[in-house]
Each structure stands twice: as C-alpha cells, then as structure tokens.
Amino acid sequence: MCLLLPASSVAQALQPRPDESEAHHVRRALLATAGISFFYHLGNRVRGEQTAKLSLSSWGANIKSGFEWDHDPFGVNQFGHPYQGSNYFNAGRANGMTFWKSSVLTAFGAASWELFGETNKPSMNDLINTTLGGIALGEMFHRTAWLVRDPSATGRTRWLREIAATVLDPVTSATRFVSRDASRVSEKSESLIPPSVGITGSAGVLWQGSNVQQIASHGLTFVDIDLLYGDLRSGRSRTPYDAFVVHFRAGGGRALSEARVRGRLLGEALSSKHDHQLTIAQTYDYVSSAAYLFGAQGFEVASVSRVSPLPGVDLVLGAWGGVLALGAVDAVRPETREGQSAGGTGVTAEAKHKEYDIGPGSSFGGTARLFVRAHPLAGVTYQGYQIVAVGPGRNHVLQRVQIDLRLPLPGRLDLGTAAEFFYRKTYFPDGGARRERLWQFRMYLGWSLTTRAPVQ
C-alpha cells in the first residue's frame, strides 16, 4: 500500500519528464502524497506509537468499523492534523495541480491516512480537520513561500531564499530540490505575485484576570505576526486565495496562542468606486488562551465598506457571518465548588488535559477601524462563535470584544495598547448554563516590515 512505498520511489517519481501531461502531474502528486504518509508513519514508528503497528488485519478492521469521533489531544486535532493536510495539499500544488484539484488530493490523503495510516479507528473529525484545515494552511503556506523565493536570482541569495522557503512549504521545496528547479533560473509565475503585501508585527506584555480588580500583577510576553497578502477589501476575484490575511501569536502563556487564516474564495465590488466589497472566505481558527481552547474550520461571508469623512482619514466598517463545518472547544461542567475555573482565568482543570467538545456551529462579528494616512490609529472588533457539541449536546457561545489604540512613532514603529474582554456561556442539555469571563490588557511595540497595503 501507499504507506509502504520507499522514499527512493517517491523521489524518482518527482524527477521532471519531457512533455509531461496532466496525468503525469497527477501521478507524481499521488506518489508524493504516499511519501508524505510514509514519513508520518515512520515518525510514529520511531516514537514507538502503538497505532503505527500496521497490518492487513488492521486495515481490514478500519474499513469495516467505519468512522468515529475521537478525542486526541486538542493541539493534535486542531493544528497537527491541519498541518499534515497542508502537506498533502502542497503535494498537488508542487506538481502543477490547481487549487481545487489539490483540495481533492487533500481529502484523498486524509481519508487514506485515517484508513491505512494508523491502527485506531478512522476519525471523522480528523478527516474534516485534515482536509479543510489542510487546504487553508496549505494554500497560505504555498503562496507565502513564493513571496520568499526568487527563481530569477542566482548565487548565495538564491539558495538562502530557497532554504528559507522550505520552512514554510517543505513539500514544494523538496520537489524543487529533487527536480533541480531550485537552481534553474526562471521567472516567477504571475499568479503568485500579489498586487500588495503588508507584513506587521508587535511584541509586548499582556495581563489577564477574571475581572478588572483581579488582573494579575505579573505580565506575560507575546509576539504577533500579521500578513496581508493582496487586499481583501477590494476587487472582483474568482481566484482562491489571491488575497488572504494571516495572524499568528506566540507567547501570552502558550507556545502558540493564536493562528487565524482568512482566504478569499470569491470577491465582488458592490460599488464602482470599490468602497463596498462582498467577500466569501475560507476560515481556519486556532486559539489556546486562558479564556478558552477553540479551533474551527469553516466559511464566512463578509461585507466591508470604506467611508472617508476627511482627506487622509478612512473609516473601515466590516461585518461577517458564516458556518463552522467543525469546531472544537474545551468542555465545562455545571458550576460547583470543585468545578470552578482553574486560577480564575476561565480554563477548567479538566480542559487542561484533553477533554473538549466537537461539533458544527456558526461565526459572526463586526469591526470598525480608523486609519489616518493609511496608519491604523484605532479599532474595535467583535468576534462570536457558537458550537453545538456532537454527543453531549452542550451549546457553547464564545464572544470576544477588542479595542485597539496605536500611536505612530518615527520610522515604521508604533506604540499600541489593547483591552480585550472574553465571555463564554455554555448551555447544558438538562437545563442551566455556565458563564465565564476574562479581561486581558496588552501593551506592545509594533513595526511594519514592508509597505502597508493601501486602505481600499
């Protein structure tokens, strides 16, 4: 089977061939997908995982048993599986397949892994997370890596860029090194050159507490990175991910606190001046905070409008709503003395292990942001999510309000402060509800690594 293919066969299949047809690209992508599953399986074997002891009987049992809902550790299901799916996706993109065909390949890789990659029963939530999360992360990593690569360059700079891109998209980079495209001088595809790119970052300290009077005196350091690829706020588009936004936060009490992707699938201007825009986007969310653990894959419809009351002053208003194909949130129980949240910060002791609820849901929210000469001076954002758990029937509503103020400093620096309020309410099937709150305050130094995308 695909998991037992030797790596040499996969590498040989990736060698360029003259006059390749689309069928050749598909075969190479399928072999690359098999190679990816093989290396994940090999990693499990090296770690001594019991689920890696495959056999014909385990494959037969998986096929007969059908899919179930599993509760592997939260980070594995909500980030690990989507990242594995991104490798399958980029096996297609690296071999000339379109976004949509690579999406089908991702579903194939996810299903084959669930049936033949492990001895435990196939997981329905892993299948969804690996496929939808893999598509979102895969196209984002693929396009971001091509921002780093410069195939028209030569010498040391060329190689450093190729190596750096490997961190973002290892599958495409491996294909390029094997096929020698990594050293071949060529022009970058116009489809991978966005009209604008904005990269911003910030580093600072945050303080948390269940209410304003109980804010912890010690702060937690954090780092934010935001990438604006293209402009989600303007333009007619039928090309998936020709514009997207990515937000990563490290620190704040977690190694990875937040990862969010919003990739445009369709875009349509609602006015001739492009002051009003309608966007359909694919979404990926991962939040590991003191307020709650939350992860989801879904789709949103967003409307964005720009108002310019004064020259150089822009007010951007946005609203969105969508569906969560599958979401996950840490489970809570009805409030008791023993069941109070640990540390008064909103995460129960049970949630620190691996118990969480899985189910479909919805997303909704809105934002208002003030720009002065294209600089984001102030903003307020509301985010809401609902998840109806499969099985226990608990209904989770998560809400978050954030207010930001940013003071421009010389150069590309700014000084920022933010206040955030997290509120979650869980409704139980036998009646009753549980409410939890968390306040968070941040101070940070921000910077812009490239010219910001214009406000349109």
Side-chain angles (χ1 to χ4, degrees), residues 333-375:
R333 305 297 184 192
E335 289 183 310
T336 64
R337 178 173 298 180
E338 293 78 12
Q340 295 292 331
S341 57
T345 58
V347 173
T348 60
E350 63 195 66
K352 289 187 175 181
H353 296 89
K354 70 174 185 178
E355 186 175 345
Y356 53 93
D357 287 340
I358 303 169
S362 60
S363 63
F364 43 92
T367 185
R369 302 180 67 195
L370 178 65
F371 292 81
V372 177
R373 296 184 178 87
H375 183 275

Side-chain angles (χ1 to χ4, degrees), residues 3 15 19 48 54 75 88 120 197 213 261 308 316 322-323 326 338 363 389 405 431 437 456:
L3 293 172
Q15 293 290 347
D19 303 322
L54 303 175
Y88 294 140
N120 52 344
V197 177
Q213 289 75 28
V261 179
S308 300
V316 177
V323 297
L326 190 67
E338 293 78 12
S363 63
L405 297 174
R437 301 171 178 83
Q456 293 183 0

Side-chain angles (χ1 to χ4, degrees), residues 56-110:
L56 291 175
S57 60
S58 70
W59 292 348
N62 282 350
I63 293 174
K64 292 179 181 179
S65 68
F67 286 78
E68 65 174 8
W69 301 95
D70 79 12
H71 281 81
D72 287 341
F74 183 86
V76 172
N77 273 356
Q78 301 306 129
F79 186 79
H81 283 293
Y83 182 78
Q84 182 174 344
S86 75
N87 296 155
Y88 294 140
F89 181 89
N90 283 325
R93 297 295 272 150
N95 287 286
M97 296 177 67
T98 65
F99 172 90
W100 297 111
K101 291 179 180 178
S102 297
S103 299
V104 175
L105 182 68
T106 307
F108 169 78

Side-chain angles (χ1 to χ4, degrees), residues 5-15 38-39 178:
L5 284 173
S8 58
S9 297
V10 177
Q12 183 179 5
L14 295 178
Q15 293 290 347
F38 171 78
F39 284 115
V178 170

Side-chain angles (χ1 to χ4, degrees), residues 205-206 222 224 249 402 404 417-418 420 441-444:
V205 181
L206 61 83
F222 72 93
D224 283 353
R249 174 175 294 171
Q402 176 176 315
D404 281 283
T417 182
E420 295 174 274
F441 295 92
R442 292 184 289 121
M443 293 190 65
Y444 55 89

